[in-house]
Amino acid sequence: VQLQASGGGSVQAGGSLTLSCTSSESILRWTNMGWYRQVPGNQREMVATVSNDGKIVYAEPVKGRFIISRDNAVRTVSLQMNSLKPEDTAVYYCWAFDFGTLYTHWGQGTLVTVSS
């Protein structure tokens, strides 16, 4: 299975971007999907996740600014990022977790750069 991430880019502070993660196969197998981000030299951190039954978790720094959604019909998880800040600059990775097999899968990263 492949997770194809897209939508990264450069934007000024206060702007918006939407990331999309599209799977090559059905995403119904994934108990949880979401986005992580990583700044060089730092650990990868959770940004937002959404479960198969619609439970959503946001990291504190993005609450109220980011919106995650999951559309099983088109095999896509999206992250709408609003009111972007320079500290949101990172490589964003799509993530999927299958609770039944405890298997974790990562997509390739997409770079988001927010300038002040």
Side-chain angles (χ1 to χ4, degrees):
V1 61
Q2 289 187 335
L3 299 176
Q4 182 70 40
S6 61
S10 298
V11 65
Q12 288 193 325
S16 298
L17 282 174
T18 298
L19 305 182
S20 294
C21 173
T22 300
S23 174
S24 58
E25 300 176 4
S26 170
I27 62 173
L28 292 175
R29 67 167 288 193
W30 301 114
T31 312
N32 235 319
M33 296 187 73
W35 293 90
Y36 281 65
R37 67 187 181 186
Q38 187 170 24
V39 175
N42 289 4
Q43 286 190 331
R44 195 171 294 188
E45 62 178 14
M46 187 275 290
V47 176
T49 64
V50 54
S51 69
N52 228 342
D53 59 0
K55 181 180 178 182
I56 290 175
V57 178
Y58 292 105
E60 281 296 327
V62 308
K63 279 184 179 178
R65 299 189 297 122
F66 290 11
I67 301 171
I68 190 170
S69 60
R70 174 174 179 161
D71 190 335
N72 293 332
V74 294
R75 310 189 309 273
T76 298
V77 174
S78 299
L79 184 69
Q80 182 180 334
M81 306 185 294
N82 303 313
S83 302
L84 282 161
K85 304 175 180 180
E87 51 264 42
D88 294 318
T89 296
V91 177
Y92 285 70
Y93 295 90
C94 181
W95 164 87
F97 175 71
D98 180 349
F99 184 78
T101 59
L102 300 182
Y103 177 68
T104 296
H105 192 62
W106 295 94
Q108 94 284 6
T110 184
L111 178 63
V112 172
T113 303
V114 184
S115 57
S116 57

